[in-house]
Each structure stands twice: as C-alpha cells, then as structure tokens.
Amino acid sequence: MAASLFGFLGGLIAARIIGPEETGLFKAFTIPLTYLTVLHLGTFDGLWRQIPYYVGKKMPQKVEALASSAGAWNILVSIIVSIGFIICALYSLWHHDYYGVVGWITQAICCWGTFYAGYLAATYRTIHQFEALARITLVRAIVNFGMVLVLPFLRFYGLCIRNASPFITGVWLLHRNRPLKVHYHFDAKTLIDLLKIGFPFSFWGTLYSSVWVATESALILSFGGVTALGFFTVAIVLRDGICVLPNAITQVLLPRAVEGFAQDGSVRNANAKSAWLTVGLTAFMVLIVLVVSYSIDFLVPLAIPKYVDGIPLMNICLWFAVVQTASLPLNTLFATGRSWLYGRGVIVGFVVFALAAYLLTPTFGGVIAVAIGSLLGRTARIIVAYLEIFMLIRREAL
C-alpha cells in the first residue's frame, strides 16, 4: 500500500510538471518492450506454478533445477533484447534524434528489469519471501518518487531517468536477496519441462497482460497521437494505483491455491480460499471507485490541470479495479495446471475488446472506445472463467 501511494503521488507530481505530449512521446518508446515480454516464454508462469507445487510435494532439488535453467534463459533474453534497443539508439543517433537515443537506451536498461528481475520475482513464493519482495517494491517506489525532482530540469530526459532508476534498483535488490541462490545453467530438458507448464499459461497470460496493454496503447496512439497517449498514461497510473490491493492479494492467494491443489486435488477447496474474500473485496472496491470517480472531476483541475481532457479516460480506467478484484477466483484455474480452461476466457475477452472498440468508435471516438472496449473485454473474460470454475466444481461433486 505504501509503495502504491508513492507511485500514485509520484505519477501525479510528474503529470503536474510534464504535459501530455512529452508523456505520450515517452510512453510510445515503451510499447515495443511491452510486446517483447512474450520472450520469457512462460518461465515466469512456470515458476509461479511449479515452485509452490514442488514445495508441496517436498522436492527442493526439482525447484532448484527449474530456477537455474529459467534464470539462464532470462539472462540470455535480456542480453539479446538490450542489444536490439542499443542498435535502435545508434540508428536514432545517426539521424540526430536525441529523444530517440535516450528513449531506446532507457528501454535497453528496462529490459533487464522486465526479464531478469521478472524471473527473480517469480522465485519469491513463501510468506517470508513475500515480505522481502514487498520491501523491495517499496524501495523501488521510493526511488521512482524521488526521481520526480529531475523532471523540471530534464523534462523528457528526466522521464527516461525516472523510468530506468527503479528498474536498476529492483534488479540489484532482487538479485542480492534472491531466495534461490542457484548457479545459472542452461539445461534444455529442464527448461522444456518448465515450458510445458509455463508456456501455455504464458501464452494466455501474456495475451491478457502485456499484449493487451501494449495494444491499448498502440491503438490510442494511432487514434489520438502522443497527446491522447499521454492522457491514457496518467489514467493508467490511476488504474494501477487503485488496483494495488487486489493485485497484492492475488500474489498471496496464488501459491496457496496451487499448494492446496497439489495436496488434495480439489478444485472446490482451492476455490473456497478466495470465494468469500472476492465478494467482500469487490463490494469494497465498487465503493472506492464511486468515491474516487466523484472526486476526480474537481481534483484533476486543481492537481494536474494539463490533463483535464483526460478525465473521461480516468473515470473508465477506475472500473478496472473492480474487474481485477472479481478475478481473484481465477487462481483456481491456474492451480489446476490446465491452461486451456484459463485460455478460453482470454480469447473471448480479447474478441470482445476488439469488437467493442470497433463498434463504439463511431459513437465515442477511437480513444474512448478503446478504453471501454478493454473494460468490457476483461469483464467478458471473467464471466467465462467463472463458468469454467462452476463446471469443474460440478463435475467434482458427481
């Protein structure tokens, strides 16, 4: 919660200093890396599922073998992707595009936070390790908040520094405190075993997360240019800030659901860990969203007047917190290890997203249509997933 507060306040201060054009220009450089997240190939998802699974099975040697091979793969990907962004920076330098130089170099740094730090975070799976991960998250948020001091002087370049600094800090702290201090060794057989579990979930999870988010930004950039993307970036800051509670609870519930399923194989019992919590927390988030939505209309002109035209986007993005909270029971589908059950909802959701955005564009305009379509798509995904869980519990009872 503290990390989220720092991130939210830092985002507001940055928005007060930097206009939507520069914010959108910087955001445009982040879109390729968001798509390239797929290159972890499911190692994150595999570790999320297999570490608590093999802990439940009392097989620590298997845990270390999987972590070793996954770490080697993500280091290799980090090197390759960072070289690609450096080449882009050199191309920009050749054409005297200094925004491009710094923007691409920033992405070359951030890719290590995406792949290697993402791998390390996936190895923090116990309650004690979650505490360490929370402290690291807080430190990263403080660094990010502190970097707003450079924005009045460096503007776009300050945004690059502010984005890269917490990634550097996060990689260092996650590596220093990593719970599995294994020697990284690329073992094709072990990696393939991990990907058999992780890649199917990664395909759907990446489609729902990084590909979905990158598509949102790409479409808004296409419809409204860098200014509209700047408005959307601040709306995302608000969306991420209000989603911190359900996201934190998901991090804790997921390994418990997997361990419980590994021990008794019961979908009903795994789902029971989150069902009533979801009902209460969703009702609470609806109340929070209504209060914040009412407050935005008079707070935004006072706090970040450059982004007044982005208020409609902000109001739509607030409701993503309710959808995120309602998705807590989906940990049950992940625990089963049957990716297709998880994936069907993602397919339906993405189709609804695309179709709704297309149909709503003539009425609301492209930018608003993308935001509404994304919200409707995520809602459709949850409805399908609930039906999957209901059918699994019903079959289990027969």
Side-chain angles (χ1 to χ4, degrees), residues 349-397:
F350 204 85
V351 171
V352 170
F353 169 27
L355 188 61
Y358 174 76
L359 294 176
L360 293 174
T361 295
T363 303
F364 297 98
V367 173
I368 297 297
V370 169
I372 296 175
S374 180
L375 181 62
L376 293 175
R378 292 176 186 270
T379 303
R381 177 249 185 170
I382 291 176
I383 293 172
V384 173
Y386 276 16
L387 292 174
E388 297 283 4
I389 294 171
F390 173 77
M391 294 302 296
L392 286 175
I393 293 175
R394 184 178 179 182
R395 290 175 194 148
E396 191 175 275

Side-chain angles (χ1 to χ4, degrees), residues 4 72 121 124 134 157 209 225 239 299 336 351 369 379 383 385:
S4 175
Y124 286 69
Y157 302 112
S209 58
R239 180 173 81 182
L299 288 180
T336 65
V351 171
T379 303
I383 293 172

Side-chain angles (χ1 to χ4, degrees), residues 31-313:
I31 294 176
L33 181 56
T34 309
Y35 277 116
L36 288 173
T37 304
V38 300
L39 294 179
H40 72 78
L41 295 184
T43 50
F44 301 168
D45 305 76
L47 291 173
W48 287 337
R49 203 268 178 181
Q50 297 300 80
I51 287 179
Y53 183 83
Y54 284 115
V55 168
K57 292 289 187 181
K58 311 298 183 184
M59 299 173 64
Q61 297 85 356
K62 187 68 174 179
V63 171
E64 292 182 1
L66 293 173
S68 174
S69 191
W73 172 255
N74 282 284
I75 288 174
L76 176 63
V77 172
S78 298
I79 293 171
I80 294 173
V81 173
S82 61
I83 290 174
F85 283 128
I86 289 171
I87 292 172
C88 292
L90 292 174
Y91 179 83
S92 296
L93 181 61
W94 179 262
H95 289 83
H96 306 288
D97 176 13
Y98 300 112
Y99 282 165
V101 173
V102 179
W104 292 124
I105 288 294
T106 301
Q107 300 312 303
I109 295 171
C110 291
C111 77
W112 285 86
T114 298
F115 296 108
Y116 184 55
Y119 151 76
L120 291 172
T123 63
Y124 286 69
R125 293 289 92 189
T126 68
I127 294 299
H128 174 70
Q129 292 161 5
F130 279 134
E131 294 173 357
L133 186 60
R135 287 193 294 269
I136 293 170
T137 302
L138 177 59
V139 172
R140 288 186 56 182
I142 292 173
V143 171
N144 182 269
F145 180 80
M147 287 296 105
V148 298
L149 296 175
V150 306
L151 296 181
F153 311 102
L154 299 179
R155 311 294 297 182
F156 173 84
Y157 302 112
L159 286 174
C160 295
I161 294 172
R162 183 171 182 261
N163 188 254
S165 298
F167 277 99
I168 295 172
T169 304
V171 170
W172 173 58
L173 290 175
L174 287 167
H175 178 82
R176 189 188 68 174
N177 299 289
R178 62 194 188 278
L180 299 174
K181 300 185 185 303
V182 296
H183 174 69
Y184 298 130
H185 173 69
F186 185 83
D187 184 289
K189 184 179 182 304
T190 302
L191 184 63
I192 291 172
D193 288 341
L194 182 64
L195 296 186
K196 286 179 181 177
I197 291 291
F199 181 76
F201 279 110
S202 172
F203 179 80
W204 305 118
T206 302
L207 177 62
Y208 184 67
S209 58
S210 59
V211 172
W212 193 307
V213 170
T215 301
E216 288 175 338
S217 296
L219 288 174
I220 286 178
L221 178 63
S222 175
F223 282 121
V226 294
T227 300
L229 186 57
F231 291 143
F232 185 62
T233 300
V234 173
I236 289 176
V237 171
L238 182 61
R239 180 173 81 182
D240 291 346
I242 202 169
C243 283
V244 63
L245 183 58
N247 287 339
I249 292 175
T250 296
Q251 287 290 313
V252 176
L253 287 180
L254 180 57
R256 291 184 175 182
V258 175
E259 285 187 36
F261 184 80
Q263 291 167 2
D264 59 28
S266 173
V267 174
R268 180 186 295 274
N269 292 340
N271 188 63
K273 297 178 183 296
S274 60
W276 287 110
L277 175 63
T278 301
V279 173
L281 190 59
T282 301
F284 175 73
M285 291 307 299
V286 168
L287 178 62
I288 293 296
V289 167
L290 290 174
V291 172
V292 175
S293 180
Y294 175 78
S295 304
I296 278 179
D297 290 336
F298 63 86
L299 288 180
V300 168
L302 294 175
I304 47 175
K306 298 176 183 177
Y307 292 83
V308 169
D309 291 340
I311 289 177
L313 276 175

